[in-house]
Protein backbone atom coordinates (compact mmCIF):
# COMPACT_ATOMS: atom_id res chain seq x y z
CA UNK A 1 0.00 0.00 0.00
CA UNK A 2 1.20 3.50 -0.81
CA UNK A 3 1.77 5.81 2.11
CA UNK A 4 -1.22 8.07 2.65
CA UNK A 5 -1.63 11.53 4.08
CA UNK A 6 -3.04 12.38 7.51
CA UNK A 7 -5.34 15.17 8.70
CA UNK A 8 -5.56 15.41 12.50
CA UNK A 9 -8.35 17.74 13.60
CA UNK A 10 -8.23 18.81 17.26
CA UNK A 11 -11.28 20.54 18.73
CA UNK A 12 -9.90 22.16 21.89
CA UNK A 13 -11.95 21.47 25.03
CA UNK A 14 -14.79 19.85 23.09
CA UNK A 15 -15.73 17.11 25.60
CA UNK A 16 -18.39 17.91 28.18
CA UNK A 17 -20.83 16.48 30.71
CA UNK A 18 -24.64 16.15 30.54
CA UNK A 19 -26.46 19.34 31.54
CA UNK A 20 -29.93 19.55 33.09
CA UNK A 21 -30.68 22.63 30.98
CA UNK A 22 -30.01 20.56 27.84
CA UNK A 23 -32.31 17.70 28.91
CA UNK A 24 -29.33 15.79 30.30
CA UNK A 25 -27.45 15.95 27.01
CA UNK A 26 -23.92 17.24 26.54
CA UNK A 27 -23.48 20.26 24.24
CA UNK A 28 -22.08 17.86 21.61
CA UNK A 29 -25.16 15.63 21.95
CA UNK A 30 -27.49 18.63 21.81
CA UNK A 31 -25.93 20.29 18.77
CA UNK A 32 -27.07 19.80 15.17
CA UNK A 33 -23.99 18.43 13.45
CA UNK A 34 -24.75 16.27 10.40
CA UNK A 35 -21.19 16.46 9.09
CA UNK A 36 -19.44 15.45 12.30
CA UNK A 37 -21.95 12.60 12.55
CA UNK A 38 -21.28 11.60 8.93
CA UNK A 39 -17.58 11.14 9.69
CA UNK A 40 -18.42 9.12 12.82
CA UNK A 41 -20.94 6.95 10.95
CA UNK A 42 -18.44 6.25 8.17
CA UNK A 43 -15.48 5.83 10.47
CA UNK A 44 -14.31 3.90 13.49
CA UNK A 45 -14.80 5.46 16.91
CA UNK A 46 -13.62 5.38 20.48
CA UNK A 47 -12.91 7.40 23.58
CA UNK A 48 -9.54 8.92 24.39
CA UNK A 49 -8.09 9.69 27.80
CA UNK A 50 -5.62 12.42 26.81
CA UNK A 51 -3.18 11.53 29.60
CA UNK A 52 -4.83 8.81 31.70
CA UNK A 53 -8.36 8.17 33.03
CA UNK A 54 -9.42 10.90 35.41
CA UNK A 55 -6.42 13.14 34.82
CA UNK A 56 -7.48 16.64 33.70
CA UNK A 57 -5.08 17.51 30.90
CA UNK A 58 -3.67 20.88 30.01
CA UNK A 59 -3.73 21.79 26.33
CA UNK A 60 0.06 21.51 26.27
CA UNK A 61 0.45 18.07 27.87
CA UNK A 62 -2.45 16.73 25.85
CA UNK A 63 -1.06 17.97 22.54
CA UNK A 64 2.29 16.38 23.36
CA UNK A 65 0.42 13.11 23.92
CA UNK A 66 -1.57 13.44 20.69
CA UNK A 67 1.71 14.04 18.86
CA UNK A 68 2.95 10.73 20.27
CA UNK A 69 5.21 11.89 23.11
CA UNK A 70 4.99 10.81 26.74
CA UNK A 71 4.12 14.11 28.46
CA UNK A 72 5.18 12.79 31.85
CA UNK A 73 8.66 12.36 30.43
CA UNK A 74 9.08 15.46 28.28
CA UNK A 75 6.85 18.18 29.77
CA UNK A 76 8.63 20.89 31.75
CA UNK A 77 6.08 23.71 31.86
CA UNK A 78 4.01 25.90 29.62
CA UNK A 79 6.42 28.84 29.40
CA UNK A 80 8.71 27.38 26.73
CA UNK A 81 5.81 26.61 24.36
CA UNK A 82 4.23 30.05 24.85
CA UNK A 83 7.61 31.65 24.11
CA UNK A 84 8.03 29.57 20.96
CA UNK A 85 4.45 30.49 20.01
CA UNK A 86 5.18 34.24 20.04
CA UNK A 87 8.11 33.73 17.75
CA UNK A 88 11.17 33.37 19.97
CA UNK A 89 13.63 30.87 18.52
CA UNK A 90 14.40 28.69 21.49
CA UNK A 91 17.26 26.27 21.99
CA UNK A 92 17.17 23.29 24.29
CA UNK A 93 18.30 24.42 27.74
CA UNK A 94 16.73 27.90 27.44
CA UNK A 95 14.56 28.91 30.39
CA UNK A 96 11.22 30.45 29.47
CA UNK A 97 8.54 32.13 31.56
CA UNK A 98 5.12 33.47 30.77
CA UNK A 99 4.50 37.05 31.75
CA UNK A 100 2.05 39.91 31.93
CA UNK A 101 2.61 43.58 31.54
CA UNK A 102 1.26 44.97 34.82
CA UNK A 103 0.86 48.29 36.57
CA UNK A 104 2.69 48.88 39.85
CA UNK A 105 2.88 51.83 42.23
CA UNK A 106 6.14 53.34 43.49
CA UNK A 107 6.46 50.55 46.07
CA UNK A 108 6.22 47.87 43.35
CA UNK A 109 2.73 46.94 44.53
CA UNK A 110 0.40 45.69 41.79
CA UNK A 111 -2.44 48.07 40.99
CA UNK A 112 -3.47 46.29 37.76
CA UNK A 113 -2.28 42.78 36.85
CA UNK A 114 -2.97 43.40 33.15
CA UNK A 115 -2.09 47.08 32.81
CA UNK A 116 -5.66 47.87 31.80
CA UNK A 117 -5.61 44.98 29.31
CA UNK A 118 -3.16 47.00 27.26
CA UNK A 119 -3.25 46.06 23.58
CA UNK A 120 -1.43 48.89 21.86
CA UNK A 121 2.25 49.65 22.12
CA UNK A 122 3.22 46.33 23.71
CA UNK A 123 5.54 45.46 20.82
CA UNK A 124 7.47 48.71 21.42
CA UNK A 125 7.59 48.05 25.16
CA UNK A 126 8.81 44.50 24.57
CA UNK A 127 11.48 45.71 22.14
CA UNK A 128 12.85 47.96 24.88
CA UNK A 129 13.44 44.89 27.06
CA UNK A 130 14.52 42.44 24.36
CA UNK A 131 18.25 41.85 24.19
CA UNK A 132 18.91 42.96 27.79
CA UNK A 133 22.11 41.45 29.21
CA UNK A 134 22.16 40.18 32.78
CA UNK A 135 25.80 39.29 33.34
CA UNK A 136 26.44 36.39 31.01
CA UNK A 137 22.74 35.69 30.59
CA UNK A 138 21.00 36.86 27.44
CA UNK A 139 17.38 38.03 27.63
CA UNK A 140 14.80 37.57 24.91
CA UNK A 141 11.43 39.21 25.43
CA UNK A 142 8.34 39.31 23.20
CA UNK A 143 4.83 40.64 23.52
CA UNK A 144 1.98 38.18 23.09
CA UNK A 145 -1.71 39.00 22.72
CA UNK A 146 -2.95 41.98 24.78
CA UNK A 147 -1.06 42.18 28.09
CA UNK A 148 0.69 38.82 27.67
CA UNK A 149 4.38 38.35 27.04
CA UNK A 150 7.15 35.77 27.18
CA UNK A 151 10.64 35.94 28.67
CA UNK A 152 13.49 33.64 27.69
CA UNK A 153 16.84 33.45 29.49
CA UNK A 154 19.76 31.92 27.64
CA UNK A 155 23.04 31.01 29.28
CA UNK A 156 24.95 28.20 30.88
CA UNK A 157 23.79 26.44 34.03
CA UNK A 158 20.27 27.83 34.23
CA UNK A 159 17.46 25.99 36.00
CA UNK A 160 13.67 26.32 35.78
CA UNK A 161 13.25 25.45 39.46
CA UNK A 162 12.32 28.94 40.62
CA UNK A 163 9.18 30.49 42.07
CA UNK A 164 6.87 32.92 40.23
CA UNK A 165 7.17 36.67 40.64
CA UNK A 166 3.48 37.12 39.87
CA UNK A 167 1.63 37.54 43.19
CA UNK A 168 -1.73 37.07 41.37
CA UNK A 169 -3.26 39.62 43.76
CA UNK A 170 -3.91 43.32 43.47
CA UNK A 171 -2.21 45.34 46.23
CA UNK A 172 0.64 42.89 46.72
CA UNK A 173 4.23 43.56 45.85
CA UNK A 174 5.84 41.79 42.92
CA UNK A 175 7.48 38.74 44.46
CA UNK A 176 11.16 37.93 44.40
CA UNK A 177 11.88 34.77 42.41
CA UNK A 178 13.34 32.18 44.75
CA UNK A 179 15.51 29.18 43.92
CA UNK A 180 13.83 25.86 44.68
CA UNK A 181 17.16 24.05 44.35
CA UNK A 182 20.73 25.32 44.83
CA UNK A 183 21.41 25.06 41.09
CA UNK A 184 18.67 27.60 40.40
CA UNK A 185 20.19 30.49 42.38
CA UNK A 186 21.70 32.20 39.34
CA UNK A 187 18.40 31.92 37.45
CA UNK A 188 16.39 33.42 40.33
CA UNK A 189 18.92 36.22 40.59
CA UNK A 190 18.66 36.92 36.86
CA UNK A 191 14.86 37.00 36.99
CA UNK A 192 14.94 39.48 39.89
CA UNK A 193 17.46 41.65 38.08
CA UNK A 194 15.20 41.54 35.02
CA UNK A 195 12.18 42.64 37.08
CA UNK A 196 14.10 45.64 38.42
CA UNK A 197 15.60 46.67 35.08
CA UNK A 198 12.31 46.19 33.28
CA UNK A 199 10.51 48.48 35.73
CA UNK A 200 13.16 51.16 35.26
CA UNK A 201 13.00 50.98 31.46
CA UNK A 202 9.21 50.69 31.20
CA UNK A 203 8.40 53.44 33.71
CA UNK A 204 10.17 55.93 31.51
CA UNK A 205 9.02 54.62 28.14
CA UNK A 206 7.16 57.01 25.77
CA UNK A 207 4.33 54.47 25.37
CA UNK A 208 3.73 54.62 29.12
CA UNK A 209 4.13 58.39 29.37
CA UNK A 210 1.42 58.65 26.73
CA UNK A 211 -0.77 56.23 28.68
CA UNK A 212 -0.39 58.21 31.89
CA UNK A 213 -1.26 61.40 30.00
CA UNK A 214 -4.46 59.66 28.82
CA UNK A 215 -5.15 58.47 32.41
CA UNK A 216 -4.60 54.84 31.40
CA UNK A 217 -2.66 52.51 33.70
CA UNK A 218 0.97 52.36 32.51
CA UNK A 219 2.45 48.96 31.68
CA UNK A 220 5.39 49.70 33.94
CA UNK A 221 6.27 46.23 35.20
CA UNK A 222 6.41 42.59 34.15
CA UNK A 223 5.15 39.76 36.35
CA UNK A 224 6.36 36.24 35.54
CA UNK A 225 5.22 32.69 36.13
CA UNK A 226 5.54 29.09 34.99
CA UNK A 227 9.29 28.77 34.40
CA UNK A 228 10.21 25.83 32.24
CA UNK A 229 13.22 24.62 30.31
CA UNK A 230 12.87 24.21 26.54
CA UNK A 231 12.84 20.47 26.01
CA UNK A 232 14.97 18.65 23.50
CA UNK A 233 12.22 16.73 21.69
CA UNK A 234 12.96 14.40 18.80
CA UNK A 235 11.12 16.20 15.98
CA UNK A 236 8.13 14.55 14.31
CA UNK A 237 9.66 14.56 10.80
CA UNK A 238 12.59 12.52 12.11
CA UNK A 239 10.61 10.29 14.42
CA UNK A 240 7.70 9.49 12.12
CA UNK A 241 9.22 10.29 8.72
CA UNK A 242 6.45 12.69 7.79
CA UNK A 243 6.56 16.28 6.63
CA UNK A 244 4.18 18.03 9.00
CA UNK A 245 2.32 21.36 9.07
CA UNK A 246 0.01 22.83 11.68
CA UNK A 247 -2.74 25.45 11.75
CA UNK A 248 -3.68 27.15 15.02
CA UNK A 249 -4.52 30.67 16.11
CA UNK A 250 -3.38 30.50 19.74
CA UNK A 251 0.26 31.06 20.63
CA UNK A 252 0.52 28.05 22.94
CA UNK A 253 -0.44 25.56 20.24
CA UNK A 254 1.72 27.31 17.63
CA UNK A 255 4.59 26.96 20.09
CA UNK A 256 3.79 23.26 20.56
CA UNK A 257 3.98 22.84 16.78
CA UNK A 258 7.36 24.54 16.61
CA UNK A 259 8.76 22.52 19.52
CA UNK A 260 8.02 19.22 17.77
CA UNK A 261 9.02 20.18 14.25
CA UNK A 262 5.58 20.87 12.82
CA UNK A 263 5.75 23.79 10.39
CA UNK A 264 3.44 26.60 11.58
CA UNK A 265 1.16 27.97 8.86
CA UNK A 266 -0.33 31.45 9.08
CA UNK A 267 -3.95 31.70 8.07
CA UNK A 268 -5.65 35.04 7.59
CA UNK A 269 -8.61 35.25 9.95
CA UNK A 270 -7.38 32.48 12.30
CA UNK A 271 -7.47 34.28 15.64
CA UNK A 272 -7.68 31.57 18.26
CA UNK A 273 -10.84 33.32 19.46
CA UNK A 274 -14.57 32.90 18.90
CA UNK A 275 -14.33 35.12 15.84
CA UNK A 276 -11.86 32.79 14.11
CA UNK A 277 -12.44 31.99 10.44
CA UNK A 278 -12.92 28.21 10.51
CA UNK A 279 -13.60 27.92 6.78
CA UNK A 280 -10.31 29.70 6.02
CA UNK A 281 -8.57 27.23 8.34
CA UNK A 282 -10.18 24.28 6.56
CA UNK A 283 -9.07 25.63 3.18
CA UNK A 284 -5.54 26.12 4.50
CA UNK A 285 -5.52 22.53 5.76
CA UNK A 286 -6.59 21.21 2.36
CA UNK A 287 -3.93 23.30 0.64
CA UNK A 288 -1.27 22.12 3.11
CA UNK A 289 -2.14 18.48 2.40
CA UNK A 290 -0.86 18.99 -1.14
CA UNK A 291 2.69 19.44 0.15
CA UNK A 292 2.67 17.73 3.57
CA UNK A 293 2.13 14.18 4.85
CA UNK A 294 0.60 15.26 8.16
CA UNK A 295 -1.55 18.33 8.75
CA UNK A 296 -2.80 19.28 12.21
CA UNK A 297 -5.84 21.56 12.33
CA UNK A 298 -6.54 23.04 15.76
CA UNK A 299 -9.61 25.09 16.72
CA UNK A 300 -9.74 26.71 20.15
CA UNK A 301 -13.31 28.06 20.31
CA UNK A 302 -15.13 25.23 22.16
CA UNK A 303 -12.67 25.44 25.06
CA UNK A 304 -13.36 29.15 25.51
CA UNK A 305 -17.12 28.48 25.86
CA UNK A 306 -16.39 25.74 28.39
CA UNK A 307 -14.28 28.09 30.52
CA UNK A 308 -16.99 30.76 30.27
CA UNK A 309 -19.69 28.27 31.31
CA UNK A 310 -21.72 29.04 28.18
CA UNK A 311 -23.65 25.94 27.03
CA UNK A 312 -25.60 27.62 24.24
CA UNK A 313 -22.46 29.34 22.95
CA UNK A 314 -20.63 25.99 22.97
CA UNK A 315 -23.44 24.40 20.95
CA UNK A 316 -23.20 27.25 18.47
CA UNK A 317 -19.43 26.73 18.16
CA UNK A 318 -19.97 22.99 17.59
CA UNK A 319 -22.37 23.81 14.76
CA UNK A 320 -19.67 26.00 13.21
CA UNK A 321 -17.13 23.18 13.61
CA UNK A 322 -19.66 20.99 11.83
CA UNK A 323 -19.83 23.49 8.97
CA UNK A 324 -16.04 23.46 8.81
CA UNK A 325 -15.95 19.66 8.46
CA UNK A 326 -18.82 19.89 5.95
CA UNK A 327 -16.70 22.30 3.93
CA UNK A 328 -13.75 19.86 3.99
CA UNK A 329 -15.76 16.73 3.18
CA UNK A 330 -16.43 17.07 -0.57
CA UNK A 331 -12.89 18.14 -1.45
CA UNK A 332 -11.00 15.77 0.80
CA UNK A 333 -8.67 13.63 -1.34
CA UNK A 334 -9.43 9.89 -1.13
CA UNK A 335 -5.96 9.06 0.17
CA UNK A 336 -6.28 11.15 3.33
CA UNK A 337 -6.82 9.54 6.72
CA UNK A 338 -8.78 11.85 9.01
CA UNK A 339 -8.86 11.91 12.80
CA UNK A 340 -11.30 14.10 14.72
CA UNK A 341 -10.80 14.41 18.45
CA UNK A 342 -10.30 16.85 21.32
CA UNK A 343 -7.36 17.60 23.57
CA UNK A 344 -9.50 17.33 26.74
CA UNK A 345 -12.97 18.02 28.07
CA UNK A 346 -13.84 21.52 29.29
CA UNK A 347 -17.30 20.99 30.81
CA UNK A 348 -19.50 24.06 30.89
CA UNK A 349 -20.53 23.16 34.46
CA UNK A 350 -16.90 22.88 35.62
CA UNK A 351 -15.64 25.97 33.73
CA UNK A 352 -12.29 24.21 33.58
CA UNK A 353 -10.67 21.10 32.15
CA UNK A 354 -11.83 17.77 33.55
CA UNK A 355 -10.55 14.21 33.36
CA UNK A 356 -13.47 13.01 31.23
CA UNK A 357 -12.40 11.19 28.06
CA UNK A 358 -13.08 12.69 24.64
CA UNK A 359 -14.51 11.20 21.43
CA UNK A 360 -12.24 10.05 18.62
CA UNK A 361 -13.25 9.28 15.03
CA UNK A 362 -10.87 7.82 12.46
CA UNK A 363 -12.05 8.06 8.88
CA UNK A 364 -10.47 6.88 5.66
CA UNK A 365 -10.12 3.96 3.33
CA UNK A 366 -9.54 0.71 5.16
CA UNK A 367 -10.89 1.67 8.58
CA UNK A 368 -13.11 -0.95 10.18
CA UNK A 369 -16.30 1.10 10.18
CA UNK A 370 -18.28 0.39 13.35
CA UNK A 371 -21.92 0.79 14.38
CA UNK A 372 -21.52 4.29 15.85
CA UNK A 373 -23.72 6.85 14.09
CA UNK A 374 -22.95 10.09 15.94
CA UNK A 375 -19.91 12.08 17.02
CA UNK A 376 -20.41 12.59 20.74
CA UNK A 377 -19.13 11.40 24.10
CA UNK A 378 -21.61 8.56 24.73
CA UNK A 379 -21.87 7.33 21.13
CA UNK A 380 -18.07 7.15 20.91
CA UNK A 381 -18.09 4.90 23.99
CA UNK A 382 -19.85 2.24 21.85
CA UNK A 383 -17.15 2.36 19.17
CA UNK A 384 -14.79 -0.41 18.08
CA UNK A 385 -11.66 1.46 19.14
CA UNK A 386 -12.72 1.20 22.77
CA UNK A 387 -10.82 3.40 25.15
CA UNK A 388 -7.36 4.69 24.24
CA UNK A 389 -4.78 7.05 25.60
CA UNK A 390 -3.78 10.25 23.83
CA UNK A 391 -0.39 8.79 22.99
CA UNK A 392 -2.01 5.95 20.99
CA UNK A 393 -3.69 8.27 18.48
CA UNK A 394 -0.59 9.09 16.43
CA UNK A 395 0.36 5.41 16.26
CA UNK A 396 -3.08 4.53 14.90
CA UNK A 397 -2.86 7.27 12.29
CA UNK A 398 0.65 6.42 11.16
CA UNK A 399 -0.37 2.77 10.85
CA UNK A 400 -3.61 3.49 8.98
CA UNK A 401 -1.66 5.73 6.62
CA UNK A 402 0.66 2.82 5.80
CA UNK A 403 3.66 4.55 7.35
CA UNK A 404 4.33 2.43 10.45
CA UNK A 405 7.56 0.51 10.87
CA UNK A 406 7.11 -3.16 11.78
CA UNK A 407 7.87 -4.13 15.37
CA UNK A 408 9.89 -7.32 14.95
CA UNK A 409 10.66 -9.28 11.82
ZN1 LIG B 1 -6.99 22.60 25.30
ZN1 LIG C 1 -8.80 25.40 28.36
Amino acid sequence: MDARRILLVIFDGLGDRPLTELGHKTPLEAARKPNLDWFAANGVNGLVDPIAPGVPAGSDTSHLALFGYDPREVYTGRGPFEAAGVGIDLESGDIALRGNFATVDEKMRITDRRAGRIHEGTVKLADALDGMKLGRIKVMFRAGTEHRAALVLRGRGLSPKITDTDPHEIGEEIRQAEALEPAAKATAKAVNAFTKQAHKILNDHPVNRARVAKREPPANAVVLRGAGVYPDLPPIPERLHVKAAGIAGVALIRGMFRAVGIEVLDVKGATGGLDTDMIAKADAALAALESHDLVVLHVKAADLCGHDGQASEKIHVIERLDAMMGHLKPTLPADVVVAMTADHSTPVAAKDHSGDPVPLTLFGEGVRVDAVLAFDERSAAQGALGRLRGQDVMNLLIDLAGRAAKFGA
Side-chain angles (χ1 to χ4, degrees), residues 118-134:
I118 182 170
H119 56 272
E120 272 169 28
T122 53
V123 171
K124 282 184 190 156
L125 293 173
D127 280 349
L129 307 181
D130 190 34
M132 188 193 290
K133 284 264 172 56
L134 302 167

Side-chain angles (χ1 to χ4, degrees), residues 12-13 57 59 300 303-304 307 343-344 346 352-353:
D12 205 306
S59 290
K300 179 73 175 169
D303 182 58
L304 302 174
H307 284 289
D343 59 344
H344 50 76
T346 310
D352 205 344
H353 304 184

Side-chain angles (χ1 to χ4, degrees), residues 10-14 57-60 62-63 78 250 252-253 298-300 303 307 342-346 353:
I10 301 172
F11 304 122
D12 205 306
L14 182 70
S59 290
D60 43 13
S62 168
H63 274 76
R78 178 178 178 139
V250 281
L252 176 68
I253 306 301
H298 170 270
V299 187
K300 179 73 175 169
D303 182 58
H307 284 289
D343 59 344
H344 50 76
S345 296
T346 310
H353 304 184

Side-chain angles (χ1 to χ4, degrees), residues 50-180:
I51 308 295
V55 177
S59 290
D60 43 13
T61 49
S62 168
H63 274 76
L64 283 173
L66 290 172
F67 297 156
Y69 299 87
D70 181 350
R72 290 205 158 107
E73 224 168 73
V74 302
Y75 182 69
T76 65
R78 178 178 178 139
F81 301 116
E82 288 276 2
V86 296
I88 301 180
D89 273 317
L90 284 93
E91 295 173 3
S92 71
D94 286 350
I95 304 297
L97 296 100
R98 296 200 286 151
N100 282 7
F101 284 108
T103 309
V104 294
D105 63 16
E106 61 286 349
K107 286 190 173 144
M108 293 294 270
R109 283 180 306 214
I110 307 271
T111 56
D112 189 327
R113 269 193 76 241
R114 302 183 178 89
R117 286 199 176 268
I118 182 170
H119 56 272
E120 272 169 28
T122 53
V123 171
K124 282 184 190 156
L125 293 173
D127 280 349
L129 307 181
D130 190 34
M132 188 193 290
K133 284 264 172 56
L134 302 167
R136 271 181 293 181
I137 297 166
K138 191 182 163 197
V139 170
M140 282 161 279
F141 193 84
R142 291 273 194 300
T145 49
E146 296 180 340
H147 53 278
R148 298 178 193 87
L151 168 72
V152 171
L153 303 175
R154 180 171 295 166
R156 287 163 67 97
L158 296 176
S159 160
K161 302 272 191 249
I162 57 167
T163 59
D164 297 348
T165 70
D166 187 347
H168 294 278
E169 297 280 344
I170 302 282
E172 288 202 20
E173 244 175 83
I174 295 187
R175 300 225 168 100
Q176 293 283 311
E178 277 167 38
L180 296 169

